[in-house]
Amino acid sequence: MTVTIVGSQLGDEGKGGVVDVYGDPADVVARYQGGDNAGHTVVHDGEEYKLSLVPSGAVRGKVGILGNGCVVNLRTLFDELNTLREKGLDPDVRIAERAHAILPFHRVLDGIEEDVKSESDQEVGTTGRGIGPTYEDKAGRRGVRIGDLLDPDVLRERLEYVVPQKRALVEEVYDIDVDDLDDPDAFDVDALYEEFREFGERLEEENMTVNAGAFLSDAIADGQNVMFEGAQGTLIDIDHGNYPYVTSSNPTAGGAATGTGLGPGVVGDGEIIGIVKAYLTRVGSGPLPTELGGVVGDTPGYDEETEGRNEDLATYIRDEGGEYGTVTGRPRRVGWLDLPMLRHATRANGFTGLAVNHIDVLAGLDEVQVGYTYELDGEEVRTIPSTTEEWGRCEANLRSFEGWPEVDWSEVADEGYDAIPENARTYLEFISDELDVPIYAVGVGPGREETVVVENPYE
Ligand code: GDP
Ligand code: IMO
Ligand code: MG
């Protein structure tokens, strides 16, 4: 059977940890979208693994697949494989021949476009990994696929078509001299051919490419358990998120079908687990009606003068949850849980279960609030409006819950659901009732053992 893990909010809900917790009975873990914009954490036995491309099942020695819906930066992938090997793992990762390769010029173009947009405060705050430009080329039918790297003639033909266009874009539209860039080779057909042909040879030698759909459907026919590991989250989905402050793929559950080559019935026949952070965090720009405080440069309309509004609470949650960018150390935006957002995510994904993480981070607060509905132009709305402008005008109607105490969370995880402090259970049950989806797991800390498992989806 299959289990699909999907971010219900804005990314970083703790998807990697849930893949690890539920990963024991899985035989194969497949990513179906995104690329090295993801950062998934698994904490086990005192070791923290940060994974951006290698599926999180690698920590348990599961076969990892990067499906056709992924965009793959091979420089990052091989570096990550080396790092994991140094930590004593032996990852077995196969990449769909239909997946697209992120080429060095995609990263450069991501940076240039963000710079240009920032002149009119329209930047998305991307991760700068070239994700958007790679999916643009995929949709524009000028991308380079992993399978193309295996055939020297095809690779050269593809590069000779696309690279001059990108060079012209930089020089003639953006008015930047390619030779002034840090990496002018990113726009050089011969240099790209050499590097990516070498990657192709390596992929072939290490037997790393695969027809993902066929591989996964054979595995399922053999009775194996497959897990689909979503990256990012529903509100940054290109279709169901707050466009244009989104990533360029479909993290929602439908992406698990198109991004692997299996039918929607196969995905829908299994379990679809929504990963929920007990509060909200957001990296980058866009509305956030339940936001506490703000981050200058990311929170729309927020400047030094607006500071002061719930700033202490925001700082408390940010510090307790370690909500700072892993690479830049930049503070993440923080807010209360948002039910209109979760109602939207529940519909768009068809969740069959919820894993609610970070209950421990809120411990010790006198009061915990939830955005229950929104006020939009004088009306109460229960779900997210379709346009980002309308969403930006929404004000959250908050509901208040009594806080719960700091306790020994490892002990709670040992003892099970009933050991969770009563007020936290009230909070969890409210979420579950509102969404009409059962709680499958509760995260009470980052480690594998710090999760209260209520249901095992494979059983
Ligand atoms: P992902 O991108 O959804 O996989 O999430 P990230 O790994 O980017 O961010 C989640 C962070 O919270 C990581 O540092 C996790 O180790 C940590 N984490 C996950 N679940 C919990 C939890 O229940 N409590 C606490 N305190 N930390 C958690
Ligand atoms: P995981 O899988 C949180 C955000 C970026 C930006 C927007 C577009 O770890 O949850 P992109 O580089 O994808 O074009 O950026 O999406 N973003 C994420 N935010 N977690 C992620 O992944 C993210 N991946 C992209 O911050 O706002
Ligand atoms: Mg992350």
Side-chain angles (χ1 to χ4, degrees):
M1 76 168 284
T2 72
V3 172
T4 304
I5 301 295
V6 181
S8 66
Q9 295 152 325
L10 293 140
D12 301 333
E13 300 91 345
K15 298 174 291 293
V18 176
V19 169
D20 180 63
V21 165
Y22 283 145
D24 190 24
D27 299 288
V28 182
V29 179
R31 285 268 309 266
Y32 54 89
Q33 45 70 235
D36 57 339
N37 48 349
H40 294 183
T41 318
V42 174
V43 179
H44 178 57
D45 250 357
E47 185 79 69
E48 185 181 69
Y49 303 89
K50 290 259 168 214
L51 303 143
S52 65
L53 272 171
V54 173
S56 302
V59 177
R60 286 186 183 262
K62 309 295 172 176
V63 174
I65 300 282
L66 296 174
N68 57 279
C70 295
V71 288
V72 183
N73 185 323
L74 290 163
R75 291 179 181 172
T76 318
L77 178 66
F78 285 117
D79 281 353
E80 195 168 302
L81 288 170
N82 284 342
T83 308
L84 293 176
R85 284 188 190 117
E86 280 161 19
K87 290 196 171 196
L89 300 182
D90 182 21
D92 176 357
V93 178
R94 326 277 176 91
I95 314 171
E97 281 143 12
R98 291 183 168 92
H100 280 247
I102 298 183
L103 297 171
F105 58 75
H106 289 124
R107 274 203 187 210
V108 178
L109 289 167
D110 195 351
I112 295 176
E113 184 154 8
E114 282 283 279
D115 276 353
V116 172
K117 282 186 169 169
S118 72
E119 287 166 18
S120 50
D121 280 340
Q122 292 191 64
E123 74 271 27
V124 175
T126 72
T127 59
R129 301 291 194 270
I131 305 297
T134 308
Y135 279 114
E136 270 180 57
D137 282 348
K138 170 178 175 175
R141 295 162 295 195
R142 65 181 93 82
V144 174
R145 305 206 296 181
I146 294 300
D148 299 339
L149 308 181
L150 309 180
D151 183 326
D153 295 336
V154 174
L155 175 60
R156 187 164 275 283
E157 192 178 68
R158 297 261 189 270
L159 291 172
E160 278 175 358
Y161 178 75
V162 72
V163 175
Q165 288 189 15
K166 300 301 168 185
R167 182 178 274 270
L169 178 63
V170 170
E171 300 205 318
E172 284 160 38
V173 176
Y174 294 122
D175 203 19
I176 296 168
D177 192 336
V178 162
D179 292 325
D180 291 342
L181 294 169
D182 288 343
D183 182 15
D185 277 356
F187 294 84
D188 183 286
V189 172
D190 290 333
L192 291 171
Y193 175 82
E194 200 178 315
E195 182 179 2
F196 282 79
R197 220 1 242 152
E198 222 167 273
F199 280 138
E201 279 167 358
R202 185 159 174 195
L203 292 172
E204 220 162 16
E205 275 160 23
E206 298 183 24
N207 206 13
M208 285 177 71
T209 62
V210 73
N211 178 340
F215 183 94
L216 291 168
S217 93
D218 287 351
I220 293 169
D222 275 356
Q224 295 188 24
N225 285 327
V226 173
M227 187 175 281
F228 301 117
E229 177 175 1
Q232 288 79 54
T234 302
L235 271 298
I236 50 176
D237 179 288
I238 185 136
D239 286 283
H240 305 291
N242 65 125
Y243 193 90
Y245 304 107
V246 293
T247 191
S248 298
S249 68
N250 287 120
T252 43
T258 51
T260 57
L262 296 170
V266 176
V267 177
D269 214 24
E271 299 259 13
I272 299 172
I273 303 182
I275 314 306
V276 179
K277 191 178 264 189
Y279 50 95
L280 282 186
T281 56
R282 174 160 206 166
V283 186
S285 196
L288 201 60
T290 59
E291 185 160 15
L292 294 166
V295 172
V296 177
D298 286 343
T299 306
Y302 190 81
D303 54 33
E304 310 294 343
E305 280 172 29
T306 0
E307 273 188 54
R309 193 174 48 120
N310 291 317
E311 207 60 52
D312 292 345
L313 197 49
T315 307
Y316 175 83
I317 295 175
R318 192 176 288 129
D319 288 347
E320 289 292 307
E323 302 293 358
Y324 293 87
T326 35
V327 182
T328 56
R330 232 166 40 134
R332 295 186 182 140
R333 298 166 66 192
V334 173
W336 293 125
L337 192 78
D338 183 318
L339 276 175
M341 182 185 287
L342 293 181
R343 291 187 190 103
H344 171 78
T346 301
R347 174 177 41 71
N349 293 291
F351 294 143
T352 58
L354 299 174
V356 183
N357 284 324
H358 296 88
I359 283 291
D360 56 306
V361 172
L362 298 179
L365 292 173
D366 291 336
E367 179 192 33
V368 173
Q369 298 196 73
V370 168
Y372 182 62
T373 55
Y374 296 147
E375 199 76 15
L376 171 63
D377 302 336
E379 292 205 14
E380 189 184 28
V381 293
R382 292 177 60 81
T383 188
I384 296 215
S386 309
T387 75
T388 297
E389 291 64 33
E390 281 180 314
W391 196 28
R393 291 205 303 279
C394 286
E395 293 203 14
N397 294 316
L398 296 169
R399 285 224 179 160
S400 182
F401 290 80
E402 275 181 48
W404 48 90
E406 189 60 67
V407 294
D408 182 334
W409 293 105
S410 304
E411 230 167 73
V412 168
D414 269 354
E415 285 173 32
Y417 187 81
D418 290 339
I420 296 174
E422 189 183 351
N423 289 346
R425 275 186 281 131
T426 304
Y427 182 76
L428 291 164
E429 282 150 29
F430 169 77
I431 299 167
S432 172
D433 288 347
E434 279 295 323
L435 303 178
D436 199 18
V437 184
I439 303 276
Y440 275 18
V442 183
V444 296
R448 185 185 291 173
E449 321 302 339
E450 290 166 310
T451 306
V452 177
V453 175
V454 183
E455 283 285 335
N456 188 327
Y458 286 113
E459 278 167 7

